[in-house]
Amino acid sequence: MDFLVQLVESALSPVVGLVNGVLWNYVLVYGLLGVGVFFTLRLRFLQIRRLPHMLHVIGRGTDGDDAGISPFQALCTSLASRVGTGNLAGVAIALGVGGPGALFWMWCTAIVGMATAYAESTLAQLYKVRDADGQYRGGPAYYMTLGLRKRWMGITFAVALLLTYGLVFSSVHANAMALALGDAFGFSRAQIAIGLVLLTAVIIFGGLRSVARFAEWAVPFMAVGYLALALWVVATNLAEVPAVLSLVVRSAFGLEPAAGGVLGGIAAAMLNGVKRGLYSNEAGMGSAPNVAAAATPVPHHPASQGLVQSLGVFIDTLLICSATGFVILLSGVVADGHDGVRVTQQAMTVFFGEAGSWFVAIAMFFFAFTTILGNYTYAENNLLYLGGGKAGLLVLRLAALAVIVWGVYSRVQIVWDAADAAMAIMASINLVAIVMLAGVVVKLTRDYDRQLAAGRSPVFHIADHADLADGVDPGIWRERRPS
């Protein structure tokens, strides 16, 4: 097994390095922030002014119907994918390579990324369709095809997502689980691989609704538990928090000693903060819109589900990633930029002893396992877009289980590098599409804002918006009674 893994990885390394070097160093670091700022300004800082309303919307959206899952299930399923190894291992790696300032750039990525996440999920809702079973389906591939009339673009994106979420990303999370569970409990890689395959198979063979039901109870449990423990660490070390905040800000702008001087320190912090921030919250990547489209929105308006998914970015990065960053920085453990799981475990042991390592292992299991499930739903959605039937779904499910085994046995660095390359390709395609459809996003947002300002619960009927009707299913966006 080890020989086969080394053979595959030696072939992948040059390709992965080239993709990462071009897209990350010259395109995405600035492109993601630029697109986020663009939508933040076009939407009048929607992610800030509508933050209380986001909480109101998700409180109402707890019921689905025959065609769609509930907005709360959609949020939990997208959080299942968002909240994963990036929140534990990824933060530690970013701090190790980019210094404490990387955390600042993760925050920046999240704040502007909330606007990007809103835009892509609003578009996914508008251009969604019904599949052969009457279930809502949609996402970037659909709005590229129906909104932009560029099916070649949709096909390219769908294939890239199948490779990333259906294969590469699941291996990343399996790898992180293997490290955490092996260190904390002494499980062998074979035991971990067999256990993960069996547990994953039980759920993914039930399809999207099976994953959504599991995520609905698992995600709130794991997120609240982790945040509570991190909050206790911060509260019991409150006197040191101002110094940590100062360190983060100074490092972000090269005011702390760093290899490569001031500019080198800023570049390292920004690059790693943005990379790990995007990997964690997925804003602009085109992943969460796949499950956003599967929801029956409450209120009955495309923008409401965009607001729900924007809230997901806030929870993922500004809450959970920040919690990990503060625990590591308060612990005094030095991140080395390699085995992020072990760094987070070491940080927790400073405050909780051996139990801290066990807790991180358990948290890593839940975070990474739910991410694998969420990733599968995205891949399933795009396989159906490409015309895959029941036979195709069977192949996808078996492939998803196979890459879990590969991930358990792989080396850390090549797995993370492959994930970075796959993510960069997806994000590049999606960012172009949502900027091209920015006018549609703005019109939907203005309509939603006007109805709220009039004191009404927003509703959307496509017959009232002839300028947006091209490519939209009128049977889905027909007139409904205000909710």
Side-chain angles (χ1 to χ4, degrees), residues 7-330:
L7 185 63
V8 172
E9 291 177 354
S10 63
L12 285 177
S13 290
V15 178
V16 167
L18 178 63
V19 172
N20 282 331
V22 173
L23 292 183
W24 277 115
N25 293 339
Y26 299 102
V27 179
L28 281 179
V29 169
Y30 307 104
L32 283 163
L33 292 176
V35 171
V37 170
F38 168 75
F39 277 109
T40 295
L41 296 176
R42 288 293 304 272
L43 302 176
R44 303 171 186 170
F45 295 88
L46 173 135
Q47 68 269 47
I48 297 173
R49 62 185 176 86
R50 290 298 182 205
L51 184 59
H53 183 69
M54 294 176 192
L55 299 173
H56 174 70
V57 169
I58 198 59
R60 295 177 59 191
T62 56
D63 296 317
D65 58 21
D66 291 340
I69 60 178
S70 73
F72 183 69
Q73 286 179 322
L75 174 65
C76 289
T77 304
S78 66
L79 281 173
S81 179
R82 284 188 172 112
V83 180
T85 57
N87 299 82
L88 296 176
V91 173
I93 290 173
L95 294 177
V97 179
L103 188 60
F104 175 87
W105 293 109
M106 289 181 77
W107 295 337
C108 293
T109 303
I111 292 171
V112 299
M114 288 175 70
T116 310
Y118 165 83
E120 60 185 357
S121 289
T122 297
L123 289 170
Q125 269 286 317
L126 179 66
Y127 293 108
K128 66 185 179 184
V129 300
R130 285 189 175 92
D131 64 16
D133 298 321
Q135 170 72 52
Y136 291 142
R137 298 285 180 179
Y142 292 83
Y143 57 68
M144 290 169 190
T145 300
L146 301 174
L148 291 177
R149 298 297 180 183
K150 298 184 184 298
R151 180 163 170 77
W152 66 266
M153 199 174 185
I155 292 173
T156 303
F157 179 89
V159 171
L161 188 141
L162 274 173
L163 293 174
T164 54
Y165 281 86
L167 300 174
V168 177
F169 283 4
S170 292
S171 70
V172 171
H173 302 293
N175 182 276
M177 278 191 283
L179 288 173
L181 294 173
D183 286 352
F185 302 109
F187 293 138
S188 70
R189 290 180 182 262
Q191 289 172 323
I192 294 169
I194 292 171
L196 284 178
V197 166
L198 293 177
L199 288 172
T200 304
V202 168
I203 298 174
I204 68 172
F205 273 84
L208 171 62
R209 288 187 182 273
S210 175
V211 174
R213 286 192 296 268
F214 180 81
E216 188 175 21
W217 71 264
V219 169
F221 166 77
M222 71 183 191
V224 171
Y226 185 74
L227 286 173
L229 204 65
L231 185 62
W232 185 90
V233 171
V234 171
T236 55
N237 295 271
L238 203 57
E240 299 175 41
V241 171
V244 168
L245 282 171
S246 177
L247 175 64
V248 169
V249 175
R250 292 199 314 272
S251 298
F253 293 97
L255 302 179
E256 286 288 306
V262 174
L263 293 179
I266 295 174
M270 180 183 290
L271 176 64
N272 287 280
V274 173
K275 283 171 68 175
R276 296 274 73 86
L278 173 65
Y279 179 74
S280 179
N281 65 51
E282 304 181 6
M285 197 188 305
S287 52
N290 290 278
V291 73
T296 299
V298 180
H300 182 67
H301 195 290
S304 67
Q305 185 55 216
L307 291 169
V308 168
Q309 296 303 326
S310 182
L311 180 64
V313 174
F314 177 88
I315 294 171
D316 172 87
T317 306
L318 293 175
L319 294 183
I320 299 178
C321 283
S322 295
T324 300
F326 271 89
V327 168
I328 293 172
L329 293 174
L330 286 168

